[in-house]
Amino acid sequence: MKLRFAPSPTGFLHVGGARTAIFNLLHARRHGGTMLLRIEDTDVERSRQRHAEQIISSLQWLGVEWDEGPVYQSDRLERYRERVEELVASGKAYRCYCTVEELEAERAAAEKAGKQWHYSGRCRAIEGDPGEPHVIRFAVSSGTIEFHDLIRGDVQFEGDLIDDFVLLRSDRNPTYHLSVVVDDIDMEITHVARGDDHLSNTPKHVLLFRAFGAAVPSFAHLPLILGSDKKRLSKRTGATSAEEYREMGIVPDALFNFLTLLGWSPGENREIFTRDDSAQWFDLSHVNKAPAVFDPEKLLWMNGQYLMRMSAEQIHPHLLPFLGDGPKTLDDLRTIIDLHKMRARTLREIAEQMAIYFVDDDAIGYDADVVKQHIKGDDLGARLAALHDALASTEPFDVATSEAALRKVAEEQGVSAAKLIHPLRLALTGKGASPPIFDVAVVLGKERSLRRLKELIERLPALG
RNA sequence: GGCGCAUUCGUCUAGGGGUCCAGGACGCCGCCCUCUCACGGCGGUAACACGGGUUCAAAUCCCGUAUGCGCUACCA
C-alpha cells in the first residue's frame, strides 16, 4: 500500500492541505504502507520554489513525515511528454490546434446566446502539422464511468458530459490531469486521498488510468474544511495556513490532533490522543462525508490541554521563538513555565505572562481596576509595612514559610488573609490574576519581592 | 445552467432499523474548589433540514424538495 500527499507550491500549506497530508500519513501508517511527498509544480506561472520549501517546512513542523520524496514534477516533464505520445499513437489522445483565443470567442458567443459551451472535439478528425503550436487532448469516450470512493461509496459520471480535456499544454508542459496519473502509475500509488474538489476530476483520471492500461487506485475524497461562514476557509474567516497557527503559538501536536478530528473520530468519546494512537485507529473509510467548519476556539482549548500536559522540557524549545529579552535557558525558565503552562492557551500567552518576572522592580505598571478594588483603607500602608517586615525576617523564604508569615500578620492585624494577598499580588505582578502569589514570590526571590512590596508602599499615597 | 457531493446541538462529532423523548467535546450559563487566574468537579442550554414512502419499528433504508459546496480552465 502506498499513499501520497501532492501539494502544489502556489502558496503556504493550507490547513485543509495539512489535514489531507495527515489523513494520508495516518492511513499509510495504519496499514503498514508507505508515504510519498510529491510537489505538483506543473503550473509554471504560479509555482514557486520558495512555496515548496515553506510547505515542506510546515509539514516538518507539524510532524507529517514521508518515506519517499519530495519528488518534483518539474523534474519529470520528459516522462509526461513521452507517455502522452503513447496515447496519441494509440489514438486515445490527439493534437488540437485551436487557439485559446478561438475557444474563448466561442465560449463567449455561446454564453451570450445563453447556451452551455463545450469543446466540440473538432480536432479529433484533422491531421495538422505537429510542428505548429498545439495542445494534446484526451479523446473522451461516451459511456458511464464508475468508480468506488472509500468515503462516498460508488460514484458515477457520464462520459458525454466531460469535454476532451487538455493533457499537454501548448508550451509542452503537462496539465495536472496528465502528470498526476502518470505519476500515480509510475510511483505505484494504491490509494489516492485528496480534497473533495477533485471528485469531479476523478472520472477523467479513471479514463487515463485505463488508457494507460494501468490499475485504477482506490480513491478517498475528503470533505472540505470551511470557515465560520460555511464557505471554504479563507482569510476573511480565520487563519488558513499552518504557518499562521505556528506563529500564534499553537504546538504541533495540538494542531495535528485537532485536524485529525475534523471529519474523523476514533469513537468512544476520545478527543485527545497521540499520533501513535490515531495511526492505530485511523481508517479512511470512516471519514465523514460532510464538510467541517474550522473552530479556532476549540483549537485554542486543545492547545491549552496540550500545554498543561507537557513538561517544561517539552515546552521550552517551542517557546524560544516567542521570547523577547530576558533569560532563555531551560534552567532559568523551568519553574516559570510550570507555573504558567496551565494558565495559557498558546505559547505566545505563556511568553507574555512571563514578562512579570523580568521587568525592573520599580517599573511595575499597576492595573487600574485592581488598584481600585484592593487599594483602600487608611491602615493599608501600616499593614503592608508589617507584611514587609515579616517577610523580611522569613528564613528560609519558600512558599510555605512566606504564606505562613503573611497569614500570621493578617491574624495580628485582625484582617482576612485576602486583605494582604491581593495587594501583595498587585505589588509583585501589577495584575489581578497570577499564579499562586507565594510561588511568584519565591520565583522572584526574597530580595526582589521585598523591593516590589516597598515600591507599592511608597506609591500608596499617589494611588489613593 | 449542467453534472456531482453533502445535510445530527452555534461548532466538532457518536450513532450504521428497535437499547436514542439522541451520547461526548468546544462555547455559553450556574454552582463547587480557591489568595486571584487557570485547572478540575457537578449541573444546565442546545440538534436528527423539510415532505413523502418502505417497515411492526427510521436519525439510521428509498424517492422528492430545499439549502450549501465542488467541478464545468492550456489551475491544481
Side-chain angles (χ1 to χ4, degrees), chain A residues 82-214:
Chain A
E82 171 187 315
R83 290 237 78 185
V84 80
E85 285 304 333
E86 292 174 29
L87 295 182
V88 175
S90 62
K92 289 168 179 158
Y94 59 93
R95 299 179 204 285
C96 168
Y97 298 87
C98 300
T99 64
V100 176
E101 292 71 29
E102 284 166 9
L103 298 178
E104 269 311 316
E106 278 184 37
R107 194 198 317 270
E111 213 162 284
K112 206 165 185 182
K115 294 226 275 232
Q116 228 14 69
W117 179 82
H118 284 285
Y119 175 63
S120 65
R122 73 172 92 93
C123 290
R124 281 194 195 196
I126 70 164
E127 195 60 49
D129 173 4
E132 290 295 304
H134 64 275
V135 301
I136 293 178
R137 287 182 186 271
F138 187 78
V140 178
S141 49
S142 56
T144 303
I145 301 149
E146 199 174 276
F147 60 89
H148 184 77
D149 187 288
L150 258 27
I151 297 171
R152 319 280 160 167
D154 293 321
V155 185
Q156 18 176 277
F157 289 83
E158 284 307 317
D160 293 319
L161 271 13
I162 301 172
D163 281 7
D164 286 354
F165 52 97
V166 174
L167 297 173
L168 201 69
R169 303 179 234 250
S170 50
D171 65 1
R172 306 268 299 145
N173 282 135
T175 61
Y176 163 70
H177 303 301
L178 207 217
S179 56
V180 77
V181 172
V182 169
D183 280 353
D184 284 344
I185 294 170
D186 284 355
M187 298 165 197
E188 300 178 296
I189 300 301
T190 60
H191 296 253
V192 174
R194 78 240 286 201
D196 193 29
D197 46 342
H198 286 300
L199 187 60
S200 302
N201 287 324
T202 305
K204 296 174 186 168
H205 301 165
V206 170
L207 254 18
L208 274 171
F209 278 107
R210 289 186 190 150
F212 283 124

Side-chain angles (χ1 to χ4, degrees), chain A residues 41-53:
Chain A
D41 54 352
T42 54
D43 181 351
V44 285
E45 295 284 303
R46 301 193 304 154
S47 295
R48 296 285 115 86
Q49 177 60 27
R50 64 186 168 87
H51 287 143
E53 285 160 12

